[in-house]
Amino acid sequence: MKLLKYLEILRLTRISLEEYSNWGQDEIHKVTIATTSCNRDSFMKSAYQLSYTENINPQKELNNIKQRVNCCSKCSLGKSRLNAVFGNGAVDASLIFIGEGPGYDEDHKGEPFIGKAGQFLTKIIEAMNYKRETVYISNIVKCHPMIDPCNPEKRSNDRPPSLEEIKACIPYLDMQLEIIRPKIIVTLGASSTRGLLNNEEPISKIRGKLKEYKGIKLIPTFHPAALLRNSNLKKPVWEDMKKVIRYLETGEIW
Ligand code: SF4
Ligand code: URA
């Protein structure tokens, strides 16, 4: 039990160090000293002194990161967004969906996948016999990528995030994955698939193939917005989701 707690503290400390990589050198130095002490007892004491390990609670950890995202300006999307969209769902979800980025509706409400594509995603989740609240939903970037960033009130003002924006934002998703530790990631569309896999293959080629990201199984599929434009894509997406269900229910890899 003690060992488990010790390992949990190490894990959370690493997450926090990643988070603090945004801070100045002095702060990183302080935290590093506190966490690299050779003496186990003094390490435990130092680790406990860090407020974020006082009460290990994954929901609290997520809330802390959400607060940082809400005031993030690591890329230019931070200047034009109305609301950052952190993601939502179950903190212990086995399944996480990663979209491209917030659109108009999401930017206005601060919640992921609530527009038309989101309603379609809800249908897919329910067809899989899950509920939205029992999975986790987020995006590869947390702020709305706009064609015209001066006009957040304009509809159809969405664009895919740039690689630079994805690179700036990915540490937040990494932290979410560390805390939630899902069994499988479903990337929706090309942006999140490329962002996580560093792979230039078209989504039509790579979809349905088993991949991995940081030790977590990953399956790319088409974005629900693409399904709204082309209903022929529904069938392949359903094939992909059947693989996900099978993996979650039996642990078998297709
Ligand atoms: Fe920060 Fe990500 Fe928003 Fe860029 S998109 S400002 S990195 S939260
Ligand atoms: N499309 C996305 O990729 N993400 C959202 O949150 C909404 C629409």
Side-chain angles (χ1 to χ4, degrees):
M1 186 59 203
K2 260 188 182 164
L3 179 66
L4 277 181
K5 193 143 195 167
Y6 181 58
L7 288 174
E8 187 63 5
I9 290 168
L10 273 177
R11 194 178 70 78
L12 290 171
T13 306
R14 187 158 58 79
I15 295 171
S16 299
L17 276 172
E18 281 170 14
E19 189 180 348
Y20 293 151
S21 64
N22 291 334
W23 291 20
Q25 280 305 317
D26 283 357
E27 294 299 336
I28 293 171
H29 188 61
K30 269 189 241 160
V31 180
T32 311
I33 287 175
T35 54
T36 52
S37 165
C38 335
N39 177 303
R40 184 177 171 272
D41 284 335
S42 73
F43 163 74
M44 293 289 276
K45 209 168 151 215
S46 310
Y48 270 112
Q49 275 163 359
L50 301 169
S51 60
Y52 46 83
T53 59
E54 255 164 26
N55 190 359
I56 295 162
N57 176 331
Q59 189 58 62
K60 263 194 190 166
E61 289 296 318
L62 281 180
N63 291 346
N64 287 343
I65 301 162
K66 183 173 177 174
Q67 275 176 17
R68 296 187 69 82
V69 166
N70 283 343
C71 56
C72 178
S73 55
K74 281 206 291 169
C75 81
S76 59
L77 300 184
K79 289 194 199 118
S80 51
R81 67 159 180 247
L82 298 176
N83 290 289
V85 179
F86 183 66
N88 61 20
V91 70
D92 59 352
S94 318
L95 170 58
I96 181 165
F97 290 91
I98 309 294
E100 172 174 286
Y104 177 98
D105 295 299
E106 293 76 19
D107 190 27
H108 279 72
K109 288 249 172 77
E111 300 295 331
F113 279 99
I114 51 165
K116 284 203 178 110
Q119 285 156 25
F120 203 90
L121 177 62
T122 307
K123 278 193 188 166
I124 296 172
I125 294 168
E126 287 171 357
M128 294 170 79
N129 233 347
Y130 295 110
K131 290 196 176 115
R132 254 185 91 118
E133 316 82 76
T134 61
V135 303
Y136 201 88
I137 302 176
S138 192
N139 282 299
I140 195 84
V141 295
K142 312 302 190 207
C143 305
H144 184 191
M146 292 178 230
I147 301 166
D148 175 3
C150 299
N151 209 346
E153 291 307 331
K154 195 166 124 192
R155 287 236 176 221
S156 307
N157 189 17
D158 312 326
R159 63 164 173 83
S162 69
L163 271 185
E164 213 184 344
E165 289 155 357
I166 291 177
K167 249 174 110 180
C169 207
I170 245 176
Y172 295 124
L173 177 59
D174 287 343
M175 290 185 251
Q176 287 173 302
L177 292 172
E178 284 266 6
I179 293 165
I180 298 164
R181 291 197 271 181
K183 292 203 174 91
I184 189 161
I185 301 168
V186 174
T187 48
L188 301 166
S191 295
S192 56
T193 305
R194 276 195 201 129
L196 292 189
L197 298 181
N198 242 330
N199 188 317
E200 286 300 308
E201 253 186 290
I203 187 72
S204 54
K205 283 262 166 64
I206 201 172
R207 63 139 277 270
K209 292 189 187 160
L210 177 70
K211 302 283 175 187
E212 250 185 43
Y213 179 72
K214 299 204 166 181
I216 306 168
K217 301 275 178 284
L218 183 155
I219 180 168
T221 198
F222 292 114
H223 193 285
L227 272 61
L228 291 173
R229 292 190 296 267
N230 178 359
S231 60
N232 291 335
L233 302 181
K234 287 182 190 171
K235 202 167 164 222
V237 168
W238 186 237
E239 291 303 315
D240 299 344
M241 293 309 101
K242 281 197 290 194
K243 291 178 180 176
V244 172
I245 298 167
R246 181 160 169 232
Y247 174 64
L248 287 174
E249 287 181 357
T250 68
E252 279 171 37
I253 297 294
W254 51 95

